[in-house]
Amino acid sequence: MGRVYNFSAGPAVLPEEVLKEAADEMLDYKGTGMSVMEMSHRSKAFDDIIKDAEKDIRDLMGIPDNYKVLFLQGGASQQFSAVPMNLMKNKKAAYIVTGQWAKKAYQEAQRYGDAVAVASSADKTFSYIPDCSDLDIPEDADYVYICENNTIYGTKYKELPNTKGHTLVADVSSCFLSEPIDVTKYGVIYGGVQKNVGPAGVVIAIIREDLITDDVLEGTPTMLKWKTQADADSLYNTPPCYGIYICGKVFKWIKKMGGLEAMKAHNEKKAKILYDFLDESKLFKGTVEPKDRSLMNVPFVTGDAELDKKFVAEAKAAGFENLKGHRTVGGMRASIYNAMPIEGVEKLVEFMKRFEAENA
């Protein structure tokens, strides 16, 4: 069987040329006579890989010198604990709850201090982003936390919250490197890479240096102190070497594609094809308020659970994989990350039109 169109929310589609390059280097990376999977993380060859990867992501995102780039493990979910452990000096933080992952981060933070939900879109199954222009943020809050793109619900902040001078922390797992961002507006940006950047097992954290200190909550594990990781250049213990190597290749691929401006244009074009169809379809409809729609994750339903099931099954048979929606929303979800080619979305829409004609 050939390659399918993989609409999985993560681990997700990777650029085919990156996979081919990795395959070519699988047995012998650049004349070392071994795979990157086998080499020491202290070797010259791996040192070049991780340094190169950091240089490329700095170039792509325009990361200023006073921010550290860390390649970590433990999934984005581990940062749900690391964030309060490293930042909760006053034991107080403001959370904006716009989906399952923001909610989990908020619940985790409650274990370490007074986490306050200053806004939420739970009242409408997280189908919109609340107005964050004038939130009631506690004066002594250590930070304001958001999940910028909500993978399950298909929403995205189009403008960042007014944090009223407080440090902004953002989980960007599912919109990482999908468009240009101004890093200086954030104190901490982190994300699991398995949606837009690489294989599962790596978390990239971009942290302003003044937030990396020894002044952490008592009982913080050595491994969860950002300072431990920053002082050791992400090599405190064996990092996820192979995953970092693939991320590095994806950074080079994005550069070759024209950088983040080009990625944004490519992603907007893809998303428009699908959203335009959903807006005119009599059978399918999107579940998100149009102004808050994500470019990466597109949930949609027919309104009939049995028909949804039939659609997912027939789509799979036609080579469109992983279209079943998350159990909390039901229906379908197409994740159309950077590496999803435009024809994947065009063919999906053709298939949906056919399905609609047959099941109207």
Side-chain angles (χ1 to χ4, degrees), residues 138-173:
E139 200 49 42
D140 57 347
D142 293 301
Y143 59 90
V144 176
Y145 183 101
I146 62 170
C147 179
E148 195 160 322
N149 185 87
N150 297 281
T151 324
I152 293 173
Y153 301 97
T155 59
K156 163 82 164 68
Y157 286 78
K158 299 296 162 71
E159 77 187 62
L160 295 174
N162 173 5
T163 66
K164 301 184 174 171
H166 297 82
T167 297
L168 180 64
V169 177
D171 172 358
V172 298
S173 294

Side-chain angles (χ1 to χ4, degrees), residues 6 16 37 44 58 62 91 110 146 171 243 299 316 325 358:
N6 178 9
E16 205 162 310
M37 276 190 203
K44 169 81 173 85
R58 282 187 180 276
K91 295 284 187 81
Q110 288 171 331
I146 62 170
D171 172 358
K316 184 178 169 71
E358 288 162 15

Side-chain angles (χ1 to χ4, degrees), residues 46-58 61 63 68-75 78-79 176-177 189-193 197-199 201-207 223 226 228-230 232-249 251:
F46 185 72
D47 190 55
D48 290 346
I49 288 170
I50 195 167
K51 287 204 167 97
D52 217 24
E54 178 175 340
K55 183 186 172 305
D56 284 336
I57 192 174
R58 282 187 180 276
M61 293 177 71
I63 299 173
K68 291 276 192 204
V69 176
L70 305 179
F71 295 94
L72 307 172
Q73 303 181 66
Q78 187 156 284
Q79 295 302 310
F176 223 161
L177 301 179
I189 302 169
Y190 75 87
V193 303
V197 189
V202 185
V203 179
I204 297 174
I206 299 156
I207 307 170
M223 287 285 292
W226 290 334
T228 302
Q229 305 290 356
D233 294 326
S234 304
L235 296 168
Y236 175 75
N237 69 331
T238 312
C241 300
Y242 198 79
I244 293 167
Y245 153 77
I246 301 288
C247 291
K249 288 200 177 302
F251 301 154

Side-chain angles (χ1 to χ4, degrees), residues 46-345:
F46 185 72
D47 190 55
D48 290 346
I49 288 170
I50 195 167
K51 287 204 167 97
D52 217 24
E54 178 175 340
K55 183 186 172 305
D56 284 336
I57 192 174
R58 282 187 180 276
D59 289 351
L60 279 170
M61 293 177 71
I63 299 173
D65 290 344
N66 66 324
Y67 282 73
K68 291 276 192 204
V69 176
L70 305 179
F71 295 94
L72 307 172
Q73 303 181 66
S77 298
Q78 187 156 284
Q79 295 302 310
F80 296 172
S81 315
V83 166
M85 284 175 164
N86 284 274
L87 295 183
M88 262 193 182
K89 319 290 187 211
N90 298 326
K91 295 284 187 81
K92 172 107 28 122
Y95 278 70
I96 301 170
V97 181
T98 50
Q100 186 141 324
W101 302 111
K103 184 178 171 185
K104 285 186 169 173
Y106 163 61
Q107 289 168 334
E108 189 66 17
Q110 288 171 331
R111 301 171 54 152
Y112 302 104
D114 184 12
V116 188
V118 290
S120 169
S121 52
D123 61 332
K124 293 184 181 165
T125 327
F126 301 121
S127 58
Y128 71 103
I129 298 287
D131 175 7
C132 299
S133 58
D134 186 20
L135 299 171
D136 189 10
I137 298 166
E139 200 49 42
D140 57 347
D142 293 301
Y143 59 90
V144 176
Y145 183 101
I146 62 170
C147 179
E148 195 160 322
N149 185 87
N150 297 281
T151 324
I152 293 173
Y153 301 97
T155 59
K156 163 82 164 68
Y157 286 78
K158 299 296 162 71
E159 77 187 62
L160 295 174
N162 173 5
T163 66
K164 301 184 174 171
H166 297 82
T167 297
L168 180 64
V169 177
D171 172 358
V172 298
S173 294
S174 53
C175 58
F176 223 161
L177 301 179
S178 62
E179 59 184 359
I181 66 167
D182 178 356
V183 175
T184 63
K185 291 186 171 161
Y186 305 78
V188 181
I189 302 169
Y190 75 87
V193 303
Q194 70 275 12
K195 300 167 187 298
N196 230 0
V197 189
V202 185
V203 179
I204 297 174
I206 299 156
I207 307 170
R208 210 174 60 228
E209 282 178 351
D210 60 291
L211 300 174
I212 301 174
T213 67
D214 277 320
D215 178 19
V216 297
L217 293 190
E218 204 178 325
T220 297
T222 305
M223 287 285 292
L224 291 194
K225 267 178 71 172
W226 290 334
K227 195 167 190 317
T228 302
Q229 305 290 356
D231 287 352
D233 294 326
S234 304
L235 296 168
Y236 175 75
N237 69 331
T238 312
C241 300
Y242 198 79
I244 293 167
Y245 153 77
I246 301 288
C247 291
K249 288 200 177 302
V250 172
F251 301 154
K252 291 210 184 299
W253 175 78
I254 295 173
K255 278 182 142 177
K256 194 171 120 188
M257 298 286 282
L260 298 187
E261 287 291 352
M263 272 294 131
K264 183 181 190 194
H266 166 67
N267 290 327
E268 283 175 339
K269 195 169 160 189
K270 274 188 303 196
K272 186 175 184 338
I273 293 166
L274 188 45
Y275 285 126
D276 283 355
F277 169 68
L278 289 173
D279 288 342
E280 68 187 36
S281 169
K282 303 257 186 296
L283 179 65
F284 297 102
K285 64 173 194 299
T287 58
V288 172
E289 281 196 19
K291 69 176 177 43
D292 299 323
R293 285 169 164 173
S294 166
L295 293 179
M296 299 282 100
N297 312 99
V298 184
F300 56 96
V301 294
T302 64
D304 175 335
E306 283 311 303
L307 203 52
D308 287 351
K309 210 187 260 178
K310 183 182 180 197
F311 173 81
V312 170
E314 289 185 12
K316 184 178 169 71
F320 304 101
E321 283 283 345
N322 294 308
L323 280 166
K324 187 173 188 288
H326 192 272
R327 61 188 178 277
T328 56
V329 185
M332 286 69 68
R333 169 181 51 178
S335 292
I336 49 176
Y337 299 121
N338 286 351
M340 171 59 67
I342 217 147
E343 62 269 18
V345 180

